[in-house]
Amino acid sequence: MKNEAPQKNEYWAFFGNAQSPWSFQKLSAEKIPQIPESDFLIIIDLTNDFCENLNFANQLFSRVESAIVFKSGSPLKTNFVQDDQCFKGMWHSNGWQTFSLYVRLLIAQRAAYLEKRPFLMAHLAQSLDGRIAAINGNSQWLSNEANLKHAHRLRALHDAVMVGALTATLDNPKLTVRLVAGKHPTPVIIEGESDLKLDDLQMMAVHEKVIVLYPQGKQHRVVPQAVKDKILEIPISPKTGSQKNTVLEPSEILNALYENGISSIFLEGGGQTVSYFLQADCIELLHLHFSPLILGSGRSSFTLPVIDSIDQGLRFQMKHFDLDGEILVELLLDKESRI
């Protein structure tokens, strides 16, 4: 498909539903295709003329619950989407790679929406030797501009972007989508044993609401008056079997967010927080960016329990993408191979 030159009035389409794998068809406006009734339809329009063929488009859309159209070199078209909970985010498409990079995410989000459950994906940028930051926490900038835009695009495709307390403190991110078009997600911070200095965080000046998850029963918490109106505090039960009562239960975090209107969550770090959700089998999709750099020391990407044999590790289905000369891998946990 990559080497096939698109012809006028020809399009690539993916369609399906949450109960079965998605299917691929090459469509032509010269002939109305026989497609089954589907929950979703995703069109990639490389010749920028799909929406000009309204009769063809309307016949397609009459057989699906929701649809989305990618156009090469122009904003994403969402005027045919009937349900704004299905797909989110606005950006400029660069053709097949852009489409294939995000199609699994869009379909996984759609499946979670139909099943009325929260969706969680994660993204990390690391060096070749598996470090996400220097030992003092400095990580700006480990990856290239293309990956930064990719991270912002992922933010735009989710209801919320979640970080751990250490990332919020050391990186002090704004958690916006300033590098791409789209709506800012709601920031979520996981607070641990120590109180966060919330009024020092840059995100407080940008967002109307910030969610803070804190350990249930934590004593003497203080929220600065200057940001109190922006903060939604949600207590979370400690993780079962944890030696510390400040380690929160991952599944309860996701359920609490879902109950507060957050159906899709983008986990942006740090490594300990991603490892924590990965170990709990809560991450449905993981993007891992490799920078052509060796640090030799620093903070590790993943920190998981010690294993005794290789087959006890987490094995993934993997696809890779070129982001301006640096590699991004898309990882889907192969649950059948996990022991």
Side-chain angles (χ1 to χ4, degrees):
M1 290 184 293
K2 287 184 179 180
N3 299 323
E4 193 172 342
Q7 304 296 317
K8 185 174 176 60
N9 294 333
E10 290 190 352
Y11 320 103
W12 292 331
F14 287 81
F15 59 90
N17 55 55
Q19 286 72 44
S20 64
W22 43 266
S23 302
F24 166 80
Q25 276 194 26
K26 185 175 181 179
L27 306 180
S28 171
E30 307 301 321
K31 181 180 179 181
I32 302 299
Q34 297 295 317
I35 68 170
E37 293 189 5
S38 305
D39 288 331
F40 60 81
L41 171 68
I42 305 174
I43 298 288
I44 182 167
D45 176 11
L46 293 182
T47 55
N48 293 341
D49 55 14
F50 181 83
C51 293
E52 297 173 7
N53 299 291
L54 292 180
N55 181 55
F56 174 66
N58 287 334
Q59 290 193 55
L60 281 181
F61 295 150
S62 68
R63 300 184 62 81
V64 299
E65 182 178 328
S66 59
I68 197 164
V69 180
F70 287 81
K71 291 187 69 178
S72 180
S74 62
L76 179 69
K77 294 291 183 181
T78 56
N79 51 308
F80 296 109
V81 177
Q82 301 173 18
D83 188 340
D84 63 6
Q85 293 294 321
C86 301
F87 305 106
K88 300 179 178 69
M90 304 286 284
W91 68 88
H92 289 67
S93 170
N94 291 317
W96 175 255
Q97 173 163 293
T98 301
F99 176 70
S100 57
L101 177 55
Y102 299 102
V103 66
R104 190 189 291 270
L105 165 61
L106 295 174
I107 292 170
Q109 279 190 348
R110 178 63 178 158
Y113 171 74
L114 290 174
E115 295 167 10
K116 295 181 171 58
R117 58 176 175 80
F119 170 83
L120 177 70
M121 81 159 290
H123 170 272
L124 288 175
Q126 68 167 39
S127 62
L128 293 175
D129 55 341
R131 310 290 183 174
I132 60 170
I135 197 67
N136 64 357
N138 178 262
S139 63
Q140 297 180 348
W141 292 103
L142 190 63
S143 64
N144 62 5
E145 181 73 11
N147 183 63
L148 290 176
K149 287 184 178 179
H150 172 62
H152 282 222
R153 193 169 290 131
L154 291 176
R155 292 174 184 177
L157 284 165
H158 290 80
D159 294 328
V161 55
M162 183 164 61
V163 295
L166 194 61
T167 297
T169 302
L170 293 178
D171 291 354
N172 197 4
K174 294 179 180 178
L175 300 181
T176 65
V177 296
R178 64 188 180 278
L179 297 182
V180 299
K183 182 182 178 181
H184 298 320
T186 299
V188 177
I189 307 173
I190 303 174
E191 185 179 274
E193 187 173 355
S194 301
D195 286 349
L196 287 165
K197 295 181 179 180
L198 295 171
D199 51 346
D200 288 344
L201 302 182
Q202 292 188 92
M203 68 182 77
M204 293 298 170
V206 180
H207 299 274
E208 295 181 359
K209 179 176 72 173
V210 174
I211 297 175
V212 177
L213 309 172
Y214 68 94
Q216 193 170 47
K218 184 177 178 181
Q219 302 293 320
H220 310 299
R221 293 187 69 253
V222 177
V223 177
Q225 190 64 37
V227 297
K228 196 165 188 175
D229 292 342
K230 289 190 172 186
I231 302 296
L232 173 60
E233 300 178 279
I234 303 177
I236 304 293
S237 299
K239 182 179 178 181
T240 304
S242 174
Q243 295 180 351
K244 292 184 177 181
N245 60 5
T246 54
V247 177
L248 310 185
E249 183 63 50
S251 60
E252 188 172 335
I253 286 176
L254 299 183
N255 290 333
L257 292 174
Y258 189 76
E259 290 170 2
N260 281 273
I262 304 293
S263 60
S264 59
I265 304 106
F266 173 43
L267 178 56
E268 200 167 304
Q272 289 184 351
T273 304
V274 171
S275 299
Y276 162 70
F277 280 91
L278 192 60
Q279 183 185 350
D281 201 18
C282 290
I283 295 176
E284 296 191 43
L285 194 63
L286 173 62
H287 282 188
L288 191 60
H289 180 94
F290 288 86
S291 174
L293 178 70
I294 293 177
L295 295 182
S297 64
R299 299 178 185 269
S300 298
S301 305
F302 303 103
T303 305
L304 297 169
V306 174
I307 60 174
D308 298 317
S309 61
I310 298 301
D311 60 6
Q312 291 178 315
L314 301 180
R315 187 170 295 277
F316 297 86
Q317 299 175 29
M318 185 177 76
K319 292 177 64 178
H320 70 276
F321 301 88
D322 183 330
L323 294 187
D324 286 352
E326 297 186 6
I327 300 299
L328 178 86
V329 294
E330 177 186 76
L331 300 169
L332 184 68
L333 185 64
D334 187 355
K335 296 183 180 182
E336 292 184 359
S337 69
R338 184 175 180 179
I339 297 177

